[in-house]
Amino acid sequence: MSKLRVAVIGARGRMGSEAVRAVEAAEDLELVAALGRDDPLETLTERGAQVAVELTHPDSVVANVGFCVRNGVHAVVGTTGWTEERLGALREELAAVPGTGVLIAPNFGIGAVLTMHFARQAARFFESAEVVELHHPGKADAPSGTATRTAQVIAEARRAAGLPPQPDATTSALEGARGADVEGVPVHAVRLRGLVAHQEVLFGDEGEILTIRHDSMNRGSFMPGVLLGVRRVVGTPGLTVGLEHFLDLDG
Ligand SMILES: NC(=O)C1=CN([C@@H]2O[C@H](COP(=O)(O)OP(=O)(O)OC[C@H]3O[C@@H](n4cnc5c(N)ncnc54)[C@H](O)[C@@H]3O)[C@@H](O)[C@H]2O)C=CC1
Ligand SMILES: O=C(O)C1=N[C@H](C(=O)O)C[C@H](O)C1
């Protein structure tokens, strides 16, 4: 059986270098390109890449994924910065190239995906919900893509259950003290040397607290999800947002 031809964009970064090692170690995959910031994207087509793993920067990701889609290269995207507007434009680009697939995964960690799944299940039972994400100080964006998605999932579940806005008597506060407001769910971001990627989802009601916590202790923790995405995206045309779609979570 021929190997799937894979490229990594952002190959010299924290995640990209780990992805290069993971692809090289996988028997069914062949690393055909490892691109840094100054390398031309045309290398992808010249080397016949079938799938590109995109791990760069929110300012670079849209152009990189657009190039992949226009050239029929499937993409597995871990980079953050995907607003609804950006997703809409990508859906339109994909509609013109049937057969090409893009996976955007806010988090490749299986435990992080499960955290969001469990948060969706828990949300309707609690009056209060807040998200705290904790990351290394080299991270460019705040709050994290995962925390934003987690808050959106909680907000969706609260709306579906007809819950009112959360109780909060705050009438004066220093700017930022109550975190970012993501659809009514406060999200707090910590940046601390020594951390990798961590998240706590706090649910509260009269007399009880439920905390769901996930810790990525190293970037190897994301690699099974990256490899799953690479193997599955080639058979999944169009846009998939979230690795949960490639996991049999209810089975
Ligand atoms: N979905 C997930 O599970 C995860 C996602 N991430 C996200 O992945 C992204 C990268 O994170 P890190 O590896 O920590 O960042 P990093 O800063 O260590 O690496 C990014 C690399 O991309 C390169 N780069 C920037 N623009 C480029 C371009 N146009 N073409 C090629 N290379 C380019 C940079 O020079 C750098 O080497 C961030 O958005 C981060 O939030 C990070 C960890 C897990
Ligand atoms: O920048 C990181 O490190 C991470 N970014 C992603 C995010 O913003 O959610 C995933 C994970 O939290 C690590």
Side-chain angles (χ1 to χ4, degrees):
M1 203 180 71
S2 63
K3 295 184 179 188
L4 198 54
R5 297 170 66 79
V6 181
V8 176
I9 312 176
R12 291 186 262 293
R14 286 176 287 257
M15 276 292 280
S17 52
E18 195 76 41
V20 163
R21 281 193 289 280
V23 171
E24 284 177 330
E27 288 188 352
D28 57 331
L29 309 180
E30 180 185 355
L31 183 77
V32 297
L35 305 188
R37 184 189 286 278
D38 299 324
D39 297 323
L41 288 171
E42 287 71 21
T43 310
L44 298 177
T45 44
E46 286 163 11
R47 305 253 176 99
Q50 294 167 282
V51 183
V53 179
E54 215 287 356
L55 295 161
T56 63
H57 188 279
D59 293 344
S60 306
V61 64
V62 171
N64 289 344
V65 176
F67 179 91
C68 292
V69 169
R70 285 192 297 283
N71 288 281
V73 179
H74 306 284
V76 171
V77 184
T79 306
T80 45
W82 289 95
T83 58
E84 277 309 315
E85 194 183 353
R86 285 180 169 198
L87 290 173
L90 177 56
R91 277 193 191 92
E92 279 179 27
E93 282 194 278
L94 277 164
V97 196
T100 301
V102 174
L103 166 68
I104 294 178
N107 202 307
F108 289 112
I110 304 300
V113 176
L114 288 175
T115 298
M116 289 182 258
H117 184 66
F118 298 150
R120 185 188 292 281
Q121 291 176 322
R124 69 189 163 98
F125 296 105
F126 293 89
E127 215 181 337
S128 301
E130 305 215 4
V131 178
V132 185
E133 58 94 327
L134 310 92
H135 281 83
H136 59 95
K139 184 164 175 54
D141 55 319
S144 72
T146 307
T148 303
R149 182 68 196 134
T150 306
Q152 288 168 342
V153 160
I154 292 168
E156 275 167 29
R158 288 178 65 92
R159 279 195 298 272
L163 294 191
Q166 302 199 38
D168 182 354
T170 309
T171 51
S172 81
L174 284 183
E175 193 185 337
R178 291 290 292 118
D181 181 333
V182 178
E183 298 181 30
V185 179
V187 180
H188 311 269
V190 175
R191 296 291 172 265
L192 205 68
R193 184 71 67 204
L195 293 176
V196 179
H198 317 259
Q199 177 165 286
E200 281 191 2
V201 187
L202 307 170
F203 291 105
D205 214 307
E206 203 53 53
E208 64 172 333
I209 302 293
L210 170 66
T211 304
I212 306 172
R213 181 171 173 116
H214 176 256
D215 297 276
S216 271
M217 312 304 285
N218 55 51
R219 292 179 180 82
S221 66
F222 300 115
M223 293 306 127
V226 171
L227 297 182
L228 174 68
V230 167
R231 291 175 180 127
R232 291 290 302 275
V233 77
V234 291
T236 313
L239 179 61
T240 303
V241 180
L243 192 68
E244 62 272 21
H245 299 288
F246 292 169
L247 302 170
D248 184 17
L249 288 184
D250 294 317

